[in-house]
Amino acid sequence: MQRQVALIKQSLFDQGYLDEQFIELEELQDDANPNFVEEVATLYFKDSARLISNIEQALERGSFDFNRLDNYMHQFKGSSTSIGASKVKTECTMFREYCRVGNAEGWQDRRGPRRLHVGPSNTGTDQ
Amino acid sequence: MATTSTSTGDIKKTKSVEVKKKLNVLIVDDDTVIRKLHENIIKSIGGISQTAKNGEEAVNIHRDGNASFDLILMDKEMPERDGLSATKKLREMKVTSMIIGVTTLADNEEERKAFMEAGLNHCLAKPLSKAKILPLINNLMDA
């Protein structure tokens, strides 16, 4: 089981979903904080779900409030950076750029018809 | 306590990577993940911490004049009151804690300079790590 987990983790690194910041998190886990990585990951998924829901609601309203969307993406990028979710961080950077230049088409093209999702089975936006 | 060890012949030296005295830290950030990460970093180097969700909370914690932190880790972009405004206000309130601003790589030089001029002792880019923060804290504490 541990070997399976190790292989999955390595695969996430190899595919660029995780970066060295995740190793920093693992190094903070010790006997005093034996579940630290799990706690941080759980917080991240919970927070991400909230942010994504806010973003989806903002997009469903039809008009693009770029300031609001940028604020959500800023938060999402910050927590993704801190946990080492590299691909999510990159996507957030891209979306923030669209907000900066007011590119609604870019947002829609990049997001597509799919809904954004971050969860235990994915560590980034659906591809 | 994390340690690194080197051995010279039969003598094993252990280098502590804790700060030299117990730090009392205020962590100011609107992101729950980042607050948890920074809390754990401070704990791992032997410090204790309290958190605030934004600059306004950080200022309110100091209003009665009884707050006494060795160090404040201040995020830059936050709702209600951002890090720059909170730092300026804390300095106006004669708060003498060391304040380290926490910026992102997206912040340009002018933005960082403005943040420093608000009253920071130093600025670090996210994500923070034990390796980034420990030498800085020890140097600042020795000063």
Side-chain angles (χ1 to χ4, degrees):
Chain A
M1 176 73 163
Q2 278 186 343
R3 189 164 174 273
Q4 254 186 319
V5 169
L7 283 172
I8 291 169
K9 191 172 79 174
Q10 187 57 51
S11 167
L12 291 173
F13 276 104
D14 292 342
Q15 293 178 75
Y17 285 109
L18 292 179
D19 61 29
E20 60 279 356
Q21 178 60 22
F22 190 78
I23 299 172
E24 290 280 346
L25 289 191
E26 289 183 311
E27 287 178 355
L28 286 170
Q29 184 159 294
D30 55 22
D31 291 339
N33 298 283
N35 302 313
F36 176 65
V37 176
E38 184 186 334
E39 285 168 13
V40 171
T42 303
L43 260 178
Y44 173 69
F45 289 132
K46 192 174 158 189
D47 233 30
S48 302
R50 176 185 60 82
L51 283 169
I52 288 170
S53 173
N54 289 342
I55 291 165
E56 292 286 345
Q57 280 174 32
L59 293 174
E60 274 159 21
R61 281 185 212 122
S63 61
F64 278 72
D65 182 344
F66 288 113
N67 280 340
R68 188 188 291 265
L69 287 169
D70 183 59
N71 186 40
Y72 291 142
M73 277 299 163
H74 164 74
Q75 291 178 57
F76 201 1
K77 185 182 170 183
S79 53
S80 300
T81 303
S82 295
I83 200 173
S86 179
K87 277 198 177 183
V88 179
K89 178 178 80 177
T90 303
E91 290 292 313
C92 291
T93 303
M94 194 71 66
F95 278 112
R96 290 200 76 190
E97 185 55 28
Y98 292 146
C99 289
R100 195 182 69 79
V101 300
N103 183 349
E105 263 181 36
W107 257 91
Q108 294 289 40
D109 288 346
R110 195 140 188 106
R111 176 177 166 257
R114 62 186 182 271
R115 292 182 67 83
L116 297 172
H117 171 74
V118 171
S121 57
N122 285 310
T123 52
T125 55
D126 286 337
Q127 296 295 322
Chain B
M1 176 175 92
T3 60
T4 57
S5 297
T6 58
S7 55
T8 307
D10 293 331
I11 301 166
K12 194 173 252 185
K13 292 180 185 174
T14 302
K15 190 164 69 176
S16 166
V17 293
E18 275 196 346
V19 290
K20 295 165 191 174
K21 61 177 186 180
K22 206 168 191 71
L23 270 186
N24 186 12
V25 182
L26 176 63
I27 295 162
V28 189
D29 201 300
D30 58 328
D31 189 276
T32 47
V33 174
I34 293 171
R35 283 199 305 273
K36 180 133 183 105
L37 172 64
H38 292 177
E39 271 184 299
N40 223 61
I41 290 174
I42 297 303
K43 192 173 169 184
S44 74
I45 58 175
I48 55 172
S49 63
Q50 189 176 331
T51 60
K53 293 191 189 74
N54 53 56
E56 190 61 25
E57 256 191 48
V59 167
N60 287 339
I61 284 168
H62 287 85
R63 283 203 195 277
D64 64 3
N66 291 330
S68 171
F69 297 101
D70 299 299
L71 171 66
I72 300 172
L73 292 176
M74 182 75 75
D75 184 27
K76 185 166 161 286
E77 286 189 47
M78 293 178 285
E80 298 205 36
R81 191 192 280 266
D82 66 20
L84 199 148
S85 167
T87 302
K88 264 193 192 156
K89 184 67 183 173
L90 290 174
R91 292 308 190 204
E92 282 167 18
M93 292 163 69
K94 309 288 183 210
V95 170
T96 57
S97 310
M98 284 164 211
I99 306 180
I100 294 177
V102 183
T103 60
T104 69
L105 291 174
D107 293 322
N108 61 39
E109 198 49 48
E110 266 179 46
E111 286 165 334
R112 262 184 235 117
K113 191 173 171 223
F115 199 8
M116 282 295 298
E117 285 171 357
L120 298 180
N121 294 89
H122 205 85
C123 220
L124 287 174
K126 286 181 197 182
L128 291 190
S129 64
K130 214 159 47 173
K132 267 188 196 173
I133 201 168
L134 191 58
L136 187 62
I137 288 174
N138 279 329
N139 285 340
L140 291 175
M141 289 292 152
D142 284 345

